[in-house]
Amino acid sequence: MENKKTLDLLSLASIPLMMTLGNSMLIPVLPTIEQELKISAFQSSLIITVYSVVAIIFIPIAGYLSDRWGRKKIILPSLIIAAIGGAIAGLASWLMDGAYLLILAGRLLQGVGASGAFPVVIPTVGDLFKDEQEVSRGLGVIETSNTFGKVLSPIIGAFLAGFIWYLPFLSIPVLCLISILLVGFFVKSPKKQNKPDPFPKFVKNVKDIFKEKGKWLAAVFFTGGIIMFILFGTLFYLSELLESDYNTKGIKKGLYIAIPLFALSVSSLVTGKKIGQNKVLMKWLVFIGMLLLAVTMVLLSFKPTLLWFLSYLFIGGIGIGFVLPSLDAFITEGIEKENRGTITSLYSSMRFIGVAAGPPLFAMLMDASVKIMFLTAAGLTILAVIFTYFAIRPGNTSDQKQNQLKTT
């Protein structure tokens, strides 16, 4: 990797790390929040969901603007907005009784900020490096930072909440400030000087891209959304299970939740280093990873003991680690630079849809039947496996000229 761009990449990697900490650290704290605010499990799940729902709406706008105005001009204001949202949620929890609605408002604002931060990182990595192998390695670092944040977040969240339950909210502005300083000083991404296209032209460009590359893009989008749905839904269920059935709280609880996320993190790092420009390998890693996840969901439906539950999730985490860097590379290397921010942002929106839907739907399903909950997740994963097999073909993710030569 180009040495002169190492600081740029590490600074960008701080964004998914800090954004993930600012969201996922709340998962082990949700049962405590339920007790403190006297709300239901479904209501507590909305603290995760509202953050993601608003991001779904604003992510495509951020991607569009980043393609026209420059990545850094979108990332920095977005981090500031996320910091303000975290401060509102934290101060409301600290200073007010019955702060639930204001916490949701702060999380909503934090989601607006997150929509212009992490999703814009992926196309920025594509801008930094010319060589596709370097791009893949860079994306592996970004995805690893994201998943490493998921590993740390339950531990840090449980640790902070052990002092004061709302301390995780108050830590969000501090986390955002770290990324603001790193990006502000070290990231020198290519600047866009073009005037933004009129919105109708923007819509037409997106339609043209999906007309040409719609099959494999749809498969990538669907798979990314399903992974986030299952990951956040399962972690939500595990957090509730640890307290209700095993009376496990605090840092010990955070460490349990971190086990599958550690597997995901290591698997992502190795995958990002190995895939390079090999789109055939990317496809089969997605295929195998989703199969592993499907098997994991089926095994979890039998309500295993905690040891086996965590062991199965560890295997599922490895599978997810195969998939995420490969999906990122497909998007980044298969879309022209001038439209990369828009398409990767739409892809990030699909992932946020999964994050938003996972906790509340798992909360509703686990009250009805845990077996049905996990078998439903397994069925969705199998759909993604089938979609991947038939829709993603190495030739159809190349540029237009290569596509014309390879298609019959």
Side-chain angles (χ1 to χ4, degrees):
M1 192 166 288
E2 301 174 41
N3 290 330
K4 63 182 181 180
K5 294 183 179 178
T6 301
L7 281 176
D8 299 66
L9 182 61
L10 293 178
S11 298
L12 287 172
S14 75
I15 295 174
L17 175 61
M18 301 308 172
M19 292 294 100
T20 301
L21 285 174
N23 190 36
S24 298
M25 76 163 71
L26 299 176
I27 290 176
V29 187
L30 291 179
T32 302
I33 294 175
E34 292 166 22
Q35 295 169 12
E36 292 290 338
L37 298 180
K38 297 179 175 56
I39 57 176
S40 67
F42 178 79
Q43 285 176 303
S44 74
S45 73
L46 294 181
I47 293 174
I48 301 295
T49 296
V50 71
Y51 169 94
S52 304
V53 167
V54 72
I56 293 164
I57 299 169
F58 283 94
I59 283 173
I61 299 172
Y64 165 66
L65 295 178
S66 78
D67 280 336
R68 273 69 190 175
W69 291 352
R71 315 296 188 200
K72 200 169 171 181
K73 291 179 180 178
I74 300 302
I75 289 174
L76 288 176
S78 298
L79 288 170
I80 293 171
I81 293 171
I84 294 170
I88 290 173
L91 291 173
S93 304
W94 179 16
L95 301 174
M96 294 178 59
D97 293 327
Y100 176 65
L101 291 180
L102 201 51
I103 289 173
L104 289 184
R107 291 286 292 164
L108 186 146
L109 193 59
Q110 189 187 343
V112 172
S115 67
F118 177 37
V120 179
V121 168
I122 296 175
T124 307
V125 173
D127 295 343
L128 283 176
F129 302 102
K130 295 180 180 179
D131 181 73
E132 287 191 0
Q133 189 163 353
E134 295 289 347
V135 172
S136 295
R137 288 178 181 176
L139 292 172
V141 171
I142 297 300
E143 207 48 85
T144 299
S145 177
N146 183 23
T147 53
F148 186 58
K150 288 184 173 67
V151 174
L152 290 177
S153 57
I155 301 170
I156 294 176
F159 174 76
L160 292 176
F163 294 99
I164 307 172
W165 68 271
Y166 51 79
L167 205 53
F169 289 124
L170 290 173
S171 70
I172 291 167
V174 178
L175 296 172
C176 291
L177 179 61
I178 294 171
S179 284
I180 289 168
L181 293 174
L182 289 173
V183 173
F185 282 107
F186 297 116
V187 175
K188 301 176 184 64
S189 60
K191 296 180 181 179
K192 293 284 185 180
Q193 301 296 336
N194 298 337
K195 185 179 179 181
D197 290 333
F199 190 73
K201 186 176 180 181
F202 160 69
V203 173
K204 182 181 182 301
N205 288 341
V206 173
K207 285 182 178 178
D208 289 343
I209 291 170
F210 276 92
K211 184 176 180 181
E212 179 188 344
K213 307 180 181 188
K215 285 185 179 179
W216 71 264
L217 280 174
V220 168
F221 281 27
F222 180 74
T223 303
I226 291 301
I227 281 182
M228 291 297 110
F229 169 77
I230 291 174
L231 177 62
F232 274 79
T234 302
L235 292 178
F236 175 80
Y237 171 75
L238 176 59
S239 178
E240 297 285 336
L241 179 72
L242 287 169
E243 291 214 11
S244 63
D245 289 19
Y246 297 96
N247 196 31
T248 302
K249 301 179 180 180
I251 294 179
K252 185 177 180 181
K253 176 183 177 181
L255 287 169
Y256 280 144
I257 295 175
I259 289 173
L261 296 171
F262 175 76
L264 198 167
S265 180
V266 173
S267 180
S268 289
L269 180 60
V270 174
T271 300
K273 288 183 176 180
K274 295 294 182 183
I275 54 178
Q277 303 176 47
N278 191 338
K279 292 184 173 65
V280 174
L281 178 60
M282 293 176 201
K283 170 179 176 171
W284 287 109
L285 284 174
V286 173
F287 184 85
I288 293 168
M290 294 305 285
L291 273 182
L292 284 176
L293 187 58
V295 170
T296 296
M297 292 298 106
V298 172
L299 292 172
L300 291 179
S301 72
F302 292 101
K303 296 184 181 179
T305 62
L306 182 60
L307 176 62
W308 283 109
F309 191 103
L310 294 173
S311 300
Y312 297 150
L313 273 187
F314 188 89
I315 296 171
I318 293 173
I320 294 174
F322 288 165
V323 177
L324 291 179
S326 301
L327 296 181
D328 291 347
F330 272 132
I331 291 281
T332 306
E333 297 174 15
I335 300 296
E336 295 75 10
K337 186 173 289 188
E338 59 270 19
N339 293 307
R340 190 175 287 153
T342 300
I343 301 303
T344 55
S345 294
L346 290 172
Y347 166 62
S348 295
S349 286
M350 284 300 301
R351 286 175 57 156
F352 269 88
I353 289 173
V355 174
L361 288 180
F362 268 63
M364 290 188 291
L365 287 172
M366 72 186 189
D367 287 338
S369 169
V370 171
K371 181 176 282 291
I372 290 175
M373 179 181 75
F374 282 119
L375 289 179
T376 300
L380 290 171
T381 310
I382 291 297
L383 282 178
V385 169
I386 296 169
F387 207 175
T388 296
Y389 182 80
F390 288 104
I392 299 181
R393 299 181 181 181
N396 67 9
T397 60
S398 302
D399 61 32
Q400 188 173 7
K401 189 176 289 185
Q402 290 174 318
N403 193 46
Q404 289 172 346
L405 291 172
K406 292 181 180 180
T407 358
T408 56

